[in-house]
Amino acid sequence: MKKFDLSIEKRQFVNNRGENVDYFEFSFDLNGNKIRVKPVDEDKKLANYLLKEIVKGGEKA
């Protein structure tokens, strides 16, 4: 089994009300192609909580 490094980037998009919405994008590289992944809900909640704490602490996610 081959392991891949998961990249996590803080991103933004503009919703239909014109508001900027922050989110974390999860992806990995497979033969030069960026593959985006979506964690299951319980993992996503934990990851978002932990990443927000890191960002608050001054580190870049």
Side-chain angles (χ1 to χ4, degrees), residues 3-56:
K3 293 185 179 187
F4 297 91
D5 291 327
L6 179 65
S7 295
I8 302 172
E9 296 180 59
K10 186 175 181 186
R11 310 284 304 242
Q12 277 190 348
F13 72 93
V14 178
N15 66 14
N16 58 1
R17 292 179 284 193
E19 302 166 328
N20 287 330
V21 178
D22 292 332
Y23 71 98
F24 294 103
E25 180 183 89
F26 300 80
S27 64
F28 65 94
D29 182 80
L30 179 61
N31 293 332
N33 296 297
K34 182 179 181 177
I35 308 296
R36 291 182 294 166
V37 296
K38 181 180 177 187
V40 295
D41 285 341
E42 58 195 35
D43 290 343
K44 183 178 179 181
K45 288 176 187 175
L46 176 59
N48 283 331
Y49 172 77
L50 295 172
L51 289 166
K52 286 179 183 178
E53 290 301 312
I54 291 171
V55 170
K56 276 193 226 174

